[in-house]
């Protein structure tokens, strides 16, 4: 029986719970509580939260596998795992690559590290999107995923991985269409779903992913590649800065 720890924002923890892991005992920890610890805010001496996503006295030695669903937003979490050579860590590696995150922190993680597409709407999928930090660990990954009863696709350790890169580009292009007045939000979403059989239209998908996540991914893609195809649509940037969702209202 694998003891599994899942760390991340509450919404991603909720989505992860829809996955079925076989032979696994799963515990959940809201990233909020780790952030408190990073900031030196102790819960000692006060009432502990009555929260299924809170763990008192976290001991990583109690776990074999960690899913860090927002590692690329919380790179300092790597320090939590460093030196625990028994650990296998799956960290979200969409906004930053595994190589970048390790370089920024420890240089040598000292644990088994894999990348995961854990952006909202991509967690509860029939096949997970994963990447390697160490190319020699591919066979170990295959054995581990089989033990958990999970299927996966292996992609390169690149910003955006594969699916988020494509979807964020589609969302960005839809924003250009919207700001040009060619079509409205509802029309673009409906056309997308009918034409591609995607689960969401681009604006609905942007809201579900989180516009801040779409923005961050596009910025990282532009910075990594320098390519004009990742140039941010001004409308998307405006929604990001105003912290608005597309589905609140249609501009047309």
């Amino acid at each position: 029986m694998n003891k599994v720890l899942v760390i991340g924002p509450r919404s991603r923890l909720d989505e992860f719970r829809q996955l079925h892991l076989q032979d696994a005992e799963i515990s959940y920890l809201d990233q909020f509580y780790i952030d408190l610890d990073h900031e030196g805010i102790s819960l000692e001496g006060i009432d502990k939260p009555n929260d299924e996503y809170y763990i008192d006295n976290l001991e990583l030695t109690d776990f074999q596998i960690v899913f860090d669903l927002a590692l690329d937003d919380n790179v300092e979490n790597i320090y939590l795992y460093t030196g625990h050579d028994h650990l296998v860590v799956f960290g979200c590696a969409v906004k930053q690559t595994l190589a970048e995150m390790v370089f920024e922190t420890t240089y040598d993680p000292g644990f088994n590290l894999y990348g995961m597409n854990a952006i909202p709407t991509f967690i509860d999928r029939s096949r997970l999107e994963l990447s390697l930090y160490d190319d020699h660990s591919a066979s170990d990954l295959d054995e581990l995923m089989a033990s958990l009863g999970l299927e996966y696709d292996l992609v390169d350790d690149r910003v955006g991985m594969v699916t988020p890169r494509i979807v964020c580009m589609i969302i960005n292009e839809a924003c250009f269409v919207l700001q040009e007045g060619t079509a409205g939000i509802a029309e673009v979403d409906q056309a997308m779903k009918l034409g591609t059989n995607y689960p969401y239209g681009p604006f609905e998908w942007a809201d579900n992913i989180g516009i801040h996540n779409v923005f961050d991914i596009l910025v990282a893609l532009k910075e990594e590649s320098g390519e004009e195809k990742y140039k941010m649509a001004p409308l998307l940037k405006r929604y990001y800065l105003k912290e608005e969702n597309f589905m609140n209202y249609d501009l047309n």
Side-chain angles (χ1 to χ4, degrees):
M1 175 76 70
N2 287 307
K3 295 198 70 175
V4 177
L5 173 64
V6 187
I7 297 173
R10 195 162 296 251
S11 60
R12 299 194 199 191
L13 297 178
D14 289 341
E15 186 178 349
F16 188 94
R17 294 185 79 125
Q18 305 309 307
L19 283 177
H20 175 68
L21 275 63
Q22 67 182 23
D23 296 325
E25 180 183 334
I26 307 174
S27 301
Y28 297 90
L29 176 59
D30 192 327
Q31 177 67 40
F32 169 74
Y33 298 114
I34 296 180
D35 292 342
L36 288 181
D37 186 63
H38 288 328
E39 294 170 10
I41 301 174
S42 174
L43 295 178
E44 290 296 326
I46 62 176
D47 291 337
K48 298 296 192 300
N50 182 18
D51 181 0
E52 61 181 335
Y53 292 162
Y54 171 74
I55 298 175
D56 192 13
N57 297 321
L58 175 66
E59 292 289 345
L60 287 175
T61 53
D62 295 338
F63 301 94
Q64 291 85 46
I65 301 170
V66 176
F67 287 88
D68 191 325
L69 304 181
L71 182 63
D72 50 5
D73 280 327
N74 303 278
V75 180
E76 65 277 5
N77 282 4
I78 287 178
Y79 292 117
L80 295 175
Y81 315 128
T82 301
H84 293 279
D85 57 5
H86 71 288
L87 275 183
V88 176
V89 177
F90 293 89
C92 188
V94 177
K95 300 178 185 181
Q96 294 191 67
T97 66
L98 294 172
E100 288 172 329
M101 290 188 282
V102 171
F103 181 81
E104 288 178 16
T105 52
T106 65
Y107 291 95
D108 180 11
F111 56 89
N112 302 294
L113 179 62
Y114 299 98
M116 177 181 177
N117 173 10
I119 296 295
T121 76
F122 296 110
I123 301 170
D124 179 23
R125 295 296 180 95
S126 59
R127 298 180 68 89
L128 300 181
E129 193 171 329
L130 305 179
S131 61
L132 301 175
Y133 175 70
D134 181 353
D135 291 341
H136 296 97
S137 62
S139 59
D140 294 336
L141 176 62
D142 201 48
E143 182 178 337
L144 177 60
M145 295 300 282
S147 73
L148 293 173
L150 297 173
E151 297 185 349
Y152 71 99
D153 294 307
L154 195 59
V155 303
D156 291 338
D157 183 28
R158 293 186 58 194
V159 169
M161 301 188 85
V162 172
T163 313
R165 178 187 297 252
I166 294 170
V167 170
C168 288
M169 286 178 63
I170 291 171
I171 291 168
N172 197 42
E173 288 301 316
C175 288
F176 278 115
V177 170
L178 183 60
Q179 72 184 27
E180 290 166 2
T182 307
I185 290 175
E187 289 78 12
V188 172
D189 272 358
Q190 183 70 2
M192 178 79 169
K193 286 190 282 190
L194 291 176
T196 64
N197 201 32
Y198 279 12
Y200 312 106
F203 298 110
E204 183 183 7
W205 214 334
D207 286 354
N208 289 335
I209 292 173
I211 292 177
H212 64 289
N213 288 320
V214 176
F215 180 89
D216 289 346
I217 293 167
L218 288 169
V219 167
L221 287 167
K222 184 68 166 63
E223 181 178 332
E224 179 195 53
S225 68
E227 297 181 26
E228 282 299 304
K229 65 182 179 180
Y230 299 121
K231 181 180 178 181
M232 182 83 60
L235 183 67
L236 177 57
K237 183 175 182 179
R238 192 180 90 198
Y239 271 74
Y240 163 76
L241 292 173
K242 296 177 71 175
E243 299 183 345
E244 293 178 346
N245 290 329
F246 287 110
M247 304 311 292
N248 287 344
Y249 56 87
D250 194 328
L251 295 182
N252 295 291

